[in-house]
Amino acid sequence: LFFKRIDKRMTCECGCSKLHIHDWREQTLVDLPIHGKSVKFIVSKQRYRCTDCGKRISSLLSFADKY
C-alpha cells in the first residue's frame, strides 16, 4: 500500500510558520505478518525548510511510533 501524506499546518521550533516544501521522503512501516506474508506500508512524507532559521523538519505520522 502506498500513502501520501500532505500536512496542512506545521510550525518550526523557532516559532516560524513560513515553511517551504524541501522534498519528499519515503518511510517504510512494517507490521506483523498476515497469513504468513509480510506486511509493509510505504508512506511518502513531506520535509519542509524553515524560511527563518533554515532548519529542515519532517511531517509526523499520527498512526505510527517515531523511529
Side-chain angles (χ1 to χ4, degrees), residues 28-65:
T28 302
L29 306 172
V30 180
D31 202 359
L32 296 172
I34 298 176
H35 299 290
K37 297 191 179 203
S38 62
V39 176
K40 294 181 183 180
F41 298 95
I42 300 172
V43 182
S44 291
K45 296 177 12 175
Q46 286 178 326
R47 283 196 340 152
Y48 301 94
R49 183 181 48 82
C50 176
T51 57
D52 286 350
C53 68
K55 184 176 179 178
R56 287 169 180 81
I57 57 174
S58 294
S59 56
L60 298 174
L61 302 175
S62 60
F63 57 87
D65 292 335

